[in-house]
Amino acid sequence: MEHLSIHDPPPQPGGMPLGSPMPPALGSAAAPPQPQQLPPQMFTTAAQLLDLTDKKLLVCLRDGRKLTGVLRSWDQFANLVLQSTIERVFAITSDPSTPQPRGFYGDQAHGIFLVRGENVLLLGEIDLDKDDDPLPGFEKADFDRVDKLAKEQRAAEKAKEGAKLKKLATLGFEGEHMGEIVL
């Protein structure tokens, strides 16, 4: 299997090296230029994960969890196998209107982690030079304490959202999944 990266030039038709002039055919005018093609490694599928294999990644999941780990394997559905996986939870203690948030974060080691591809919201490579730098505005704390704070914040946000939906309902607006089912 060829090891290609996204930065490699696309192959040229007929195996001609890139940059070499095409010889004109005998007795014919020059051929019209071919539209430029994307390189074969420029997929919009799970094959883009090829360049990220064996690198440390940050993976954000649909349920809000943030995982860091080394990508060891993946398949055509973008299911991921992460090694040395750590889940990081954040709890913000400052006023949300402040420009620089303050709070706590906690890490929980999970080891080998299998992530179903449809649950991946975002993933990206971690800069190993900046990986050990402390997070500005956040202090490391015990995972259980930070997780408890984060759950309390989510519950308060959910209650606030519920009150907002009730207020909107009194004004005649329907929230998501609030309408009647008509059969």
Side-chain angles (χ1 to χ4, degrees):
M1 182 175 176
E2 249 184 299
H3 293 288
L4 299 172
S5 77
I6 202 164
H7 306 291
D8 293 338
Q12 297 299 311
M16 301 279 302
L18 187 65
S20 64
M22 292 190 69
L26 295 175
S28 68
Q34 294 292 325
Q36 190 162 12
Q37 295 180 358
L38 291 174
Q41 67 273 20
M42 186 87 169
F43 300 111
T44 56
T45 63
Q48 285 184 321
L49 296 171
L50 183 65
D51 289 340
L52 297 175
T53 304
D54 296 329
K55 294 188 179 165
K56 191 169 186 180
L57 302 180
L58 169 67
V59 181
C60 297
L61 303 179
R62 287 190 330 181
D63 64 359
R65 288 187 287 172
K66 293 160 188 66
L67 306 172
T68 59
V70 179
L71 179 64
R72 290 298 179 200
S73 184
W74 49 272
D75 64 8
Q76 71 269 24
F77 303 109
N79 296 322
L80 310 174
V81 176
L82 299 173
Q83 183 181 18
S84 305
T85 307
I86 295 173
E87 178 181 357
R88 181 165 283 177
V89 176
F90 294 91
I92 297 174
T93 57
S94 65
D95 183 20
S97 63
T98 58
Q100 178 69 28
R102 297 207 163 282
F104 299 102
Y105 73 95
D107 292 340
Q108 169 101 17
H110 288 294
I112 302 244
F113 209 87
L114 176 64
V115 180
R116 188 176 169 108
E118 68 180 13
N119 291 323
V120 175
L121 182 65
L122 174 134
L123 66 89
E125 187 177 355
I126 293 178
D127 185 356
L128 297 177
D129 294 335
K130 297 181 181 180
D131 187 30
D132 295 329
D133 293 347
L135 297 169
F138 285 87
E139 296 177 37
K140 187 171 174 100
D142 179 52
F143 179 81
D144 294 328
R145 177 180 169 211
V146 176
D147 193 40
K148 181 180 175 189
L149 279 171
K151 284 179 182 176
E152 289 171 359
Q153 288 173 351
R154 284 193 298 268
E157 186 66 32
K158 188 173 182 180
K160 185 178 172 183
E161 186 67 25
K164 185 168 77 172
L165 286 175
K166 283 182 183 177
K167 174 88 174 178
L168 287 172
T170 61
L171 297 172
F173 293 98
E174 288 184 7
E176 290 184 35
H177 312 295
M178 302 285 289
E180 295 180 23
I181 298 176
V182 180
L183 298 175

